[in-house]
Amino acid sequence: MLPTSIISVTIYNKSTDIITHKINSSLEEKLNIIASNITQKFQAVNNTSSEIYLNSDLIRILSSQRPSDTTGIISEMSNMDKLLSNYTVTNNAQDLLLPRIYLFNRPEYLLHSFTNKVSDLSLIEKEKWYMQLPNRAEYTIVGLDEVVVSSVKIKTIKIAKRLFGLDDMSIKFSGVLTVDIGADYFNTILDQSKPTIGSSTFIIDVNKSIIISSDDTLLGTVFEPNKRDNILSAYERIEPLNWTLVSLTPMNELNGELIAFKKVIYTVIVVCGILALLMALFLSENISYPIRKLVKSMRVVQRGNFDITLEYKRNDEFAYLFHSYTKMVRDIKELIDKLYVSEVMKKEAELKALQAQINPHFLYNTLDSVNWMALELNATRISTMVTSLSNFFRYSLSKGETIISLREEKLQVESYLIIQKIRFQEKLDYSIYFASDILDNLTVKLILQPIVENAILHGINKIRGKGMIVITGSKSDSIIEIRVSDNGVGADIDELNSIVDNRSHSASFALKNVNERIKYYFGSEFGIRFCSNEDEGITVIVRFPAVKTMEGLYVNNDHSG
């Protein structure tokens, strides 16, 4: 596909360059002939104007003073009209030649209309071209003009030159001679030299304004070559006139055969491209099939299923890859199985060691013995504290259960408060009230004791007076709400809430743990929040659903139990 495209494009570009070069050479030759014809035309007109200027009768008029009577004026006009009529051609628009003389200080000429070839200079004094007319020159091209011949308007190119009294040097300026040349002469030359029917040939002046063109709509407009695309442009300077010949030819007209050749090349390239695409799709499918099969197997392994079988009957590089991949997956499965068994055995050993260290029966029996010894010594406070501690551990362990009844959670935190009240004596008091209809509902174990402990350590322990903790539990719209209020020093509520929401880097692990465990078992919309009391201290609000069974509840399996 690539060599075919390169060869085709190279041949086409080279052919285009050769043909374009030949066309340019042909156009340049034609434009050169046109420029020569136009120059010769203006040279002939200049010779005519020189003959008129050097006529003895005209020299006498230009070198003499203005006639003093009407007869002299009319005679002067008649002589010049007769002279100019010898050079006037008006019967053919293509060969039109119309000379005119405008004399200085002849206002009387305006009173007579028997000739249109002679007039006073005042008729053209305000014309822009007249004011820019040089003093000494063979002739000056004024530009586009229009004359009326036999009631027909004919476009012309006007030239002009100043006239002086050659026999009387004291007369510095006598008048102006103008000659109008039919524009059809130039249009005929331009039309005959067009390379194609759709070509456009015209002449522009130094200001890039189009002054000669067979298309009247272009006359006077400014030529802008940069805005013409897909056009072959050719230029030829006419130095004596300071003009430029411009030829614009559509490339599609010049390159008719080349365009047909290009279509053939494009057709060949498209056919080759389709064939190459079909072959590429076949080869791609042949190569990508085993890769897709391998990727599909990898996705199965990624989901944790290592029991895979891959069948591949070809005898190529992929067969080796499949064999190595299957062996690798099998080895990984064996390693995972070994690691899992090892970890399970390790955990069981650690658990047994922990159970051996903290044997509930051993702990309960020891605390019961301490309680009996305290009773024998009449140490009732010690007995109460030991009994509460025993109950605290019993409810905390809860036979290894994570979910307990709210009744057990209430007794556990109550045992903890009994111990703390004995410790702090008169500095601490508490009140616990739970509605009777919520005690049989389930909750997560150990959610109230960390909150109460936090209230004592960071709230009540920092005040001078007596501390008070009030715990109340109620149910509303199938939601249980437990409030733990204290009269401590208070705290930054936003900071506490950010701690439990993991938006703070504080080390209050216990509060975070309580909030996360509630969300883990009951859902992200539940948990704990802090708010300020009206008088002093803070209140912790614990919310979770009122349920008596854990079936159907949301449990975030991303957490560990």
Side-chain angles (χ1 to χ4, degrees):
M1 180 66 187
L2 183 60
T4 301
S5 300
I6 293 175
I7 293 171
S8 300
V9 172
T10 302
I11 292 175
Y12 175 75
N13 290 336
K14 188 63 176 178
S15 301
T16 301
D17 292 340
I18 294 173
I19 293 175
T20 302
H21 177 72
K22 291 183 177 180
I23 292 173
N24 281 332
S25 299
S26 176
L27 285 176
E28 289 176 2
E29 184 178 351
K30 287 186 177 182
L31 293 181
N32 188 34
I33 294 173
I34 295 173
S36 177
N37 291 337
I38 292 175
T39 302
Q40 291 176 6
K41 177 68 174 178
F42 276 99
Q43 186 60 46
V45 173
N46 182 57
N47 293 336
T48 299
S49 64
S50 297
E51 289 181 18
I52 295 173
Y53 188 17
L54 297 176
N55 183 273
S56 59
D57 292 336
L58 183 58
I59 292 175
R60 178 179 54 79
I61 294 173
L62 296 176
S63 303
S64 61
Q65 298 297 325
R66 179 171 62 89
S68 59
D69 55 359
T70 303
T71 303
I73 291 295
I74 294 175
S75 176
E76 192 175 71
M77 292 179 65
S78 297
N79 291 332
M80 286 189 290
D81 180 71
K82 183 178 180 181
L83 170 64
L84 296 177
S85 296
N86 294 330
Y87 298 96
T88 301
V89 178
T90 58
N91 59 346
N92 188 343
Q94 182 175 340
D95 298 326
L96 176 71
L97 190 67
L98 183 60
R100 290 176 178 174
I101 292 179
Y102 301 88
L103 290 189
F104 176 71
N105 194 21
R106 297 292 195 277
E108 294 85 358
Y109 285 4
L110 301 177
L111 301 177
H112 306 283
S113 59
F114 64 88
T115 177
N116 63 348
K117 301 181 183 65
V118 182
S119 186
D120 184 62
L121 190 63
S122 60
L123 287 181
I124 60 173
E125 280 182 331
K126 294 183 179 179
E127 296 290 339
K128 184 178 180 182
W129 62 264
Y130 169 76
M131 293 184 286
Q132 296 176 349
L133 201 63
N135 288 329
R136 302 288 181 181
E138 288 188 353
Y139 60 87
T140 299
I141 297 176
V142 173
L144 283 173
D145 200 359
E146 194 174 68
V147 298
V148 178
V149 178
S150 300
S151 302
V152 178
K153 292 182 179 180
I154 301 176
K155 295 187 181 299
T156 64
I157 300 296
K158 184 186 292 293
I159 68 171
K161 65 187 305 182
R162 291 181 182 270
L163 303 177
F164 300 91
L166 300 180
D167 289 345
D168 188 352
M169 300 306 295
S170 63
I171 301 176
K172 296 182 179 179
F173 175 61
S174 297
V176 172
L177 170 64
T178 66
V179 180
D180 285 280
I181 309 168
D184 284 351
Y185 170 81
F186 303 100
N187 292 333
T188 300
I189 296 176
L190 296 179
D191 288 340
Q192 291 175 351
S193 64
K194 292 199 303 184
T196 66
I197 297 176
S199 298
S200 176
T201 306
F202 48 85
I203 298 175
I204 60 175
D205 59 14
V206 291
N207 298 320
K208 295 186 179 180
S209 178
I210 299 176
I211 60 172
I212 298 177
S213 173
S214 57
D215 186 357
D216 292 345
T217 60
L218 296 178
L219 295 176
T221 61
V222 177
F223 173 61
E224 297 178 357
N226 293 335
K227 294 185 178 181
R228 300 170 185 267
D229 300 327
N230 299 319
I231 297 292
L232 178 61
S233 303
Y235 305 90
E236 178 70 23
R237 288 280 297 170
I238 307 176
E239 293 297 341
L241 308 179
N242 207 13
W243 285 355
T244 302
L245 268 168
V246 179
S247 177
L248 303 178
T249 304
M251 290 298 298
N252 58 353
E253 294 185 5
L254 292 173
N255 302 330
E257 295 182 359
L258 192 59
I259 291 174
F261 178 56
K262 179 171 66 175
K263 291 180 180 179
V264 172
I265 290 177
Y266 285 169
T267 302
V268 171
I269 293 176
V270 170
V271 171
C272 291
I274 294 174
L275 293 176
L277 179 61
L278 294 175
M279 293 179 64
L281 291 175
F282 173 75
L283 293 175
S284 175
E285 176 64 21
N286 195 44
I287 294 174
S288 63
Y289 169 72
I291 296 177
R292 292 199 306 270
K293 189 173 183 178
L294 185 61
V295 170
K296 183 179 180 180
S297 175
M298 288 180 176
R299 289 174 181 168
V300 174
V301 173
Q302 188 178 13
R303 291 193 292 267
N305 184 6
F306 292 89
D307 297 324
I308 61 168
T309 56
L310 285 176
E311 294 183 1
Y312 189 75
K313 299 180 180 180
R314 301 178 188 173
N315 187 18
D316 54 15
E317 292 80 359
F318 283 106
Y320 175 77
L321 180 62
F322 275 49
H323 175 73
S324 300
Y325 170 74
T326 304
K327 184 177 182 304
M328 180 188 69
V329 172
R330 188 165 51 249
D331 293 343
I332 292 175
K333 184 177 183 302
E334 292 177 0
L335 289 174
I336 291 177
D337 291 342
K338 291 180 181 178
L339 181 62
Y340 176 76
V341 172
S342 176
E343 287 295 322
V344 169
M345 294 178 64
K346 180 180 178 182
K347 291 293 182 182
E348 289 180 353
E350 291 176 352
L351 182 60
K352 290 179 180 179
L354 184 62
Q355 289 176 344
Q357 294 175 1
I358 307 176
N359 191 299
H361 295 288
F362 172 76
L363 184 62
Y364 300 154
N365 292 336
T366 302
L367 291 175
D368 189 56
S369 299
V370 174
N371 179 44
W372 282 107
M373 292 175 64
L375 290 175
E376 290 178 357
L377 298 174
N378 293 322
T380 56
R381 294 182 62 193
I382 295 176
S383 175
T384 301
M385 192 169 188
V386 170
T387 302
S388 298
L389 181 62
S390 177
N391 291 334
F392 177 80
F393 280 122
R394 181 179 294 107
Y395 297 132
S396 297
L397 295 174
S398 302
K399 298 179 182 180
E401 298 292 334
T402 302
I403 304 298
I404 62 174
S405 68
L406 197 55
R407 188 189 310 277
E408 291 176 298
E409 182 68 12
K410 172 178 176 293
L411 292 174
Q412 195 271 346
V413 73
E414 189 173 15
S415 299
Y416 176 76
L417 282 169
I418 290 173
I419 296 171
Q420 295 301 321
K421 181 171 175 59
I422 295 174
R423 174 188 173 191
F424 289 98
Q425 299 181 6
E426 298 300 323
K427 185 176 177 63
L428 175 66
D429 202 355
Y430 66 91
S431 170
I432 302 177
Y433 172 75
F434 280 17
S436 59
D437 61 337
I438 69 171
L439 293 177
D440 292 330
N441 287 281
L442 299 181
T443 183
V444 182
K445 181 173 64 178
L446 284 176
I447 59 173
L448 297 179
Q449 184 271 332
I451 297 174
V452 172
E453 182 179 358
N454 186 74
I456 294 173
L457 293 178
H458 300 290
I460 294 174
N461 203 27
K462 296 181 180 180
I463 62 175
R464 293 187 177 182
K466 186 173 184 178
M468 184 66 183
I469 293 179
V470 178
I471 304 175
T472 60
S474 60
K475 182 175 72 172
S476 176
D477 296 332
S478 299
I479 301 297
I480 292 178
E481 184 175 283
I482 301 176
R483 291 176 171 264
V484 181
S485 302
D486 66 70
N487 62 342
V489 296
D492 187 338
I493 299 302
D494 292 335
E495 176 65 20
L496 290 174
N497 285 323
S498 66
I499 289 173
V500 298
D501 289 339
N502 287 322
R503 290 184 285 108
S504 173
H505 298 290
S506 172
S508 298
F509 173 77
L511 297 179
K512 291 181 184 177
N513 181 265
V514 170
N515 189 55
E516 289 177 356
R517 285 189 294 120
I518 294 174
K519 291 180 180 296
Y520 174 79
Y521 286 100
F522 295 114
S524 59
E525 66 271 26
F526 302 106
I528 65 175
R529 305 302 294 171
F530 291 83
C531 61
S532 298
N533 297 332
E534 293 183 359
D535 299 329
E536 55 187 357
I538 62 174
T539 295
V540 182
I541 302 173
V542 184
R543 296 177 72 255
F544 52 88
V547 295
K548 294 183 180 180
T549 175
M550 294 299 290
E551 292 183 4
L553 281 182
Y554 168 83
V555 176
N556 186 352
N557 293 324
D558 291 340
H559 294 74
S560 58

